[in-house]
Amino acid sequence: MNPKPYPSPIPAGLVFTHNGHRYKMSEKPGPITADNRFLPVTGVTTLLGGGVPKPALVRWAPKVVAEWVTDPANRERLEELLAGDPVTAVRELKELPTKERDAAGIRGTAVHAQAEELHRTGEAPDVPEDLLGFVEGYVQFLDDFQITPVLMERPCGNRKDWWAGTFDLLATSPLLAGGNLVQIDIKTSKGVYGETALQTGAYSKAEFYVDTDGHEQPMPAVHATYVAHVTPTDRDGVNARYGSAPLGTSLYTLAPNQAAIDRHYALFLAAAFTHKTTKERDAIIGDSITVETLTDKAAA
């Protein structure tokens, strides 16, 4: 059973600054006062980024550089770099993975915006040509799985465990979880990974979300979580990066039931603890000890 709305509207105690990509959350529900301050709160994806190792990224970055260096189309620029200042060459080459990551992030944000428009209105007018393949595949997915959006792109938070974030989609489908409410995360990355289960597990355990009127509402019960891998319907040009991934949008189960969601949330909390204790770990190693310092300490 989903929780009932609060008896009277509670102004949102959660804000997000897009420029700094940071959240602030009030210490408790209700108006901001001297006893109820807005405090910085770490986002779910940041906590996971600092708490879950990503060995694939370690392999991916040098691969990006190697592919650029061996691409005949870049031969002229490469020769210019090698003939010039080595510092400049190193700086430009090491920035290649960052540029590719940022370009993929921009594309992913644009696809999310198109998906949100589809959820909200059932239409996606004026789709840029480079996103058309993504949108066409996603529309087919929505139709095939008979997805009915319930909540889209809403900020949410948990004061007890002190985190915040924004979930992509809460929806129902007669084909998923017996028609009960499910959460679907949208990914446009080259692949999908188990870490997403920790992300959706966290959002499912939010204490509240912020509605479109700017009020806190209790988080409804989520019965299962999924990830929709949104890829284009072709593999031409830059879309070749998706390799052998299925064309269009594919749906993968993360948590088939609430017990699995509970387990994923426990794993998220472990990752969050690892991130939150980074400074403590960094401070463990102090100055080296010497016989002289030990002798001085004993004499004191």
Side-chain angles (χ1 to χ4, degrees), residues 68-70 74-83 93:
W68 187 91
V69 167
T70 56
N74 301 321
R75 184 64 51 80
E76 183 177 348
R77 179 56 185 158
L78 177 60
E79 291 176 353
E80 291 175 355
L81 288 172
L82 294 176
L93 290 172

Side-chain angles (χ1 to χ4, degrees), residues 15-24 109 116 153 155 166:
V15 295
F16 177 72
T17 58
H18 289 276
N19 289 340
H21 200 79
R22 299 188 185 283
Y23 291 94
K24 283 189 175 183
T109 299
E116 184 177 5
E153 294 285 344
T166 300

Side-chain angles (χ1 to χ4, degrees), residues 226-242:
Y226 302 85
V227 57
H229 190 206
V230 183
T231 82
T233 52
D234 66 77
R235 293 293 180 265
D236 301 329
V238 295
N239 294 339
R241 67 189 294 268
Y242 289 100

Side-chain angles (χ1 to χ4, degrees), residues 60 63 100-101 103-105 107-108 134 188-191 229-230 232 234-245:
W60 168 79
K63 181 173 180 286
E100 182 165 323
R101 181 204 62 197
R107 184 166 53 248
F134 291 91
T188 58
S189 49
K190 290 176 65 175
H229 190 206
V230 183
D234 66 77
R235 293 293 180 265
D236 301 329
V238 295
N239 294 339
R241 67 189 294 268
Y242 289 100
S244 60

Side-chain angles (χ1 to χ4, degrees), residues 48-239:
L48 288 174
V52 177
K54 295 180 175 59
L57 283 180
V58 177
R59 297 189 297 269
W60 168 79
K63 181 173 180 286
V64 170
V65 177
E67 288 176 342
W68 187 91
V69 167
T70 56
D71 186 345
N74 301 321
R75 184 64 51 80
E76 183 177 348
R77 179 56 185 158
L78 177 60
E79 291 176 353
E80 291 175 355
L81 288 172
L82 294 176
D85 178 20
V87 174
T88 301
V90 169
R91 182 173 62 246
E92 184 166 327
L93 290 172
K94 75 178 184 180
E95 285 299 313
L96 289 173
T98 301
K99 289 180 179 179
E100 182 165 323
R101 181 204 62 197
D102 291 348
I106 292 170
R107 184 166 53 248
T109 299
V111 171
H112 272 76
Q114 294 290 337
E116 184 177 5
E117 187 67 19
L118 279 168
H119 300 156
R120 198 177 309 281
T121 68
E123 299 178 352
D126 304 322
V127 178
E129 186 175 351
D130 63 324
L131 300 183
L132 196 57
F134 291 91
V135 174
E136 288 175 343
Y138 191 68
V139 168
Q140 188 66 52
F141 154 71
L142 294 176
D143 290 343
D144 289 347
F145 282 87
Q146 304 172 53
I147 301 294
T148 299
V150 176
L151 291 169
M152 300 82 70
E153 294 285 344
R154 301 315 311 154
C156 60
N158 186 306
R159 292 185 173 94
K160 174 179 175 293
D161 295 320
W162 201 250
W163 55 258
T166 300
F167 58 77
D168 286 339
L169 176 65
L170 298 186
T172 60
S173 162
L175 305 178
L176 303 175
N180 289 307
L181 190 71
V182 301
Q183 182 184 167
I184 300 174
D185 194 73
I186 298 170
K187 295 298 185 192
T188 58
S189 49
K190 290 176 65 175
V192 290
Y193 308 97
E195 178 187 326
T196 303
L198 280 60
Q199 182 182 355
T200 55
Y203 297 150
S204 298
K205 293 298 183 178
E207 296 172 330
F208 68 92
Y209 72 92
V210 179
D211 65 22
T212 54
D213 294 323
H215 298 136
E216 290 187 18
Q217 298 292 348
M219 186 71 174
V222 175
H223 294 263
T225 62
Y226 302 85
V227 57
H229 190 206
V230 183
T231 82
T233 52
D234 66 77
R235 293 293 180 265
D236 301 329
V238 295
N239 294 339

